[in-house]
Amino acid sequence: MRGAPVVLGIESSCDETGAGVVWNGRLLGHAVASSMEEHARFGGVVPEIAARAHVHSFNPVVRRALDEAGLGMSDIGAVAVTTGPGLSGALQVGLAGAKSLAYALDVPLYGVHHLAGHVAADALAHGPLPDPCVVLIVSGGHTSLLLVRDLARDPIVHLGDTLDDAAGECFDKVARIFGLPYPGGPAIDRAAREGDARAVSFPRPLTGPRDDPYDFSFSGLKTAAARWAERHRGQGLPVADGAASLQEAVADVLTRKAVAACTANGVGTLVVVGGVAANSRVRSLAEERCAAAGITLRVPPLRLCTDNGAMIAAIGDLLVRAGAEPAPLDVSIDPSAPLEYAALHPVARVAAMVS
C-alpha cells in the first residue's frame, strides 16, 4: 500500500483483547477475544484472570485481524497500543506484545489513551470528526463530556466528568442488586424492554439549577435503586419496571447534558462513544433530542462501541498522519492516566529516576 503506513492497533486495558488494522482512515480488519465469561461468576472483572487471558489471546487475535485485512506482518508500518488507563497487568501484557512486534518489524510504536481510542472509533464508521465536536464518553469506568478539535494534535477539553460512579458502573451494580447477570449494562437493557420506564421516579442527579451543568454523578441513583429494591423484598421485585426506569434516568441525564453542552458551545455535532453508547435507550433518546435541537448525532456501530483494537489503530493512524513523535523505547503504562491528549507516552518512574 502506498502513502500512509498500515497501522496495527492493540487493546488490552480490561477484559477484551483486541487487534485492529487501519490504513489511511479505513478499517481493514479487526478481531476481539473477550474473557467476560470467566469473570461473570465473580460479578466483575478479576484483574489477574484478565491479564492471563490477554497472554493466551494476543497472538491469535493479531493473526485474525491480519487475516481479515488480507495482510501479513510485513505489511505493518506502525504499531499503536493502549498505555492507559486500565488494569495494570492487562495493560502490561498488551504493551509487551506491541513492543515486541514493533521491535521485530522495525516500525515505530505509539502509545495511545484508551478513551481517545473510543472517540476515534466513530471516525472509522462516519469519516473524520468535525472540528469542533462535543463528545460524550460513557463506559463502565468513565463518563465525560469533551470538546474535541483536532484529535491527533490539540488538547482535549473537559467540559464535565463524573464525580463518582460512571454510568456503566451504575448499571453493573444495580443489575447485581436486581439479580441480573454480569455485565449489567446489556442485562439492564434486555430487562427494560418488558418494563415501564415511568413506573419508578428515580432521581436525575446534578440536573438542578444550582448544579454544574456538565458534571455527572450516578452514586445517588445507584443508592435510590437499591433502596427501591429493598422496599420490595419478599413481595416480588418488578425487575423489568426497575430496569426500564433506571435506564430512563441514566439516558435522560446523559443526553440532556450532552445536548446542552452542544448548544452552549455553539457546536453542531454530538458524538456518543463507549460501551454504554450501545444502550438502546441512550441511543434513541439522543436521536430524539439532537433532532429537536438541530444537532447532528454520530454514534459508532455496536461492534465499535465496546473495547476493541480497531479504535486504537484508528488513533495510531491519525497520529502517524499528523507527524506525531513515536513513543520512546522505555514507554510504560499509566493505569490512571487523565485524558489530555490522544497520544500517551508515560515513562516508568524507575527509568526516569535512573536517567
Side-chain angles (χ1 to χ4, degrees):
M1 290 184 172
R2 297 180 180 179
V6 174
V7 179
L8 172 67
I10 303 296
E11 158 61 22
S12 69
S13 64
C14 193
D15 59 337
E16 277 101 4
T17 311
V21 182
V22 170
W23 173 71
N24 206 29
R26 290 174 48 204
L27 177 59
L28 304 181
H30 82 116
V32 177
S34 175
S35 58
M36 189 173 296
E37 290 185 2
E38 298 177 57
H39 304 284
R41 62 195 178 103
F42 299 102
V45 176
V46 181
E48 179 62 23
I49 291 176
R52 289 174 182 270
H54 290 309
V55 172
H56 291 296
S57 299
F58 186 92
N59 286 338
V61 163
V62 170
R63 174 50 57 194
R64 278 165 42 207
L66 287 170
D67 287 347
E68 184 176 293
L71 300 174
M73 281 291 185
S74 61
D75 296 306
I76 300 302
V79 177
V81 61
T82 301
T83 47
L87 302 174
S88 179
L91 290 169
Q92 290 282 16
V93 173
L95 179 58
K99 280 185 174 181
S100 299
L101 289 174
Y103 180 80
L105 298 171
D106 193 23
V107 299
L109 175 70
Y110 294 84
V112 170
H113 196 290
H114 174 78
L115 297 182
H118 277 301
V119 179
D122 182 75
L124 295 175
H126 302 123
L129 293 166
D131 179 3
C133 61
V134 168
V135 177
L136 172 64
I137 295 181
V138 275
S139 68
H142 304 274
T143 303
S144 296
L145 267 174
L146 312 171
L147 183 63
V148 175
R149 295 191 178 279
D150 187 324
L151 187 59
R153 296 182 174 90
D154 295 335
I156 296 167
V157 178
H158 287 247
L159 301 175
D161 296 282
T162 187
L163 304 179
D164 41 57
D165 289 356
E169 185 178 1
C170 177
F171 280 149
D172 283 340
K173 290 179 177 178
V174 174
R176 178 183 291 187
I177 294 169
F178 285 1
L180 296 172
Y182 177 84
I188 290 284
D189 202 351
R190 288 191 299 270
R193 295 170 192 165
E194 307 299 324
D196 180 0
R198 298 166 295 180
V200 189
S201 297
F202 285 133
R204 270 55 170 173
L206 294 187
T207 56
R210 296 185 180 180
D211 293 319
D212 187 289
Y214 308 131
D215 278 341
F216 300 93
S217 170
F218 293 103
S219 179
L221 177 58
K222 174 195 66 180
T223 301
R227 296 293 176 266
W228 174 80
E230 286 176 1
R231 290 196 296 271
H232 286 81
R233 185 169 295 168
Q235 306 171 13
L237 184 66
V239 173
D241 287 346
S245 299
L246 176 79
Q247 181 173 264
E248 187 68 21
V250 171
D252 181 20
V253 171
L254 291 174
T255 57
R256 187 190 310 188
K257 287 177 176 275
V259 169
C262 289
T263 302
N265 288 276
V267 175
T269 301
L270 171 65
V271 183
V272 183
V273 299
V276 180
N279 179 271
S280 62
R281 185 53 180 154
V282 170
R283 294 170 83 96
S284 64
L285 192 54
E287 289 173 2
E288 294 172 20
R289 289 182 166 169
C290 283
I295 295 169
T296 300
L297 174 67
R298 293 176 37 153
V299 187
L302 296 180
R303 67 192 180 101
L304 295 179
C305 285
T306 52
D307 293 351
N308 61 84
M311 68 187 199
I312 304 306
I315 280 288
D317 175 65
L318 289 175
L319 292 171
V320 168
R321 289 190 283 138
E325 285 293 320
L329 294 177
D330 56 352
V331 63
S332 185
I333 61 166
D334 186 348
S336 58
L339 177 57
E340 298 171 339
Y341 288 89
L344 181 62
H345 297 162
V347 176
R349 292 180 182 178
V350 173
M353 292 173 62
V354 172
S355 62

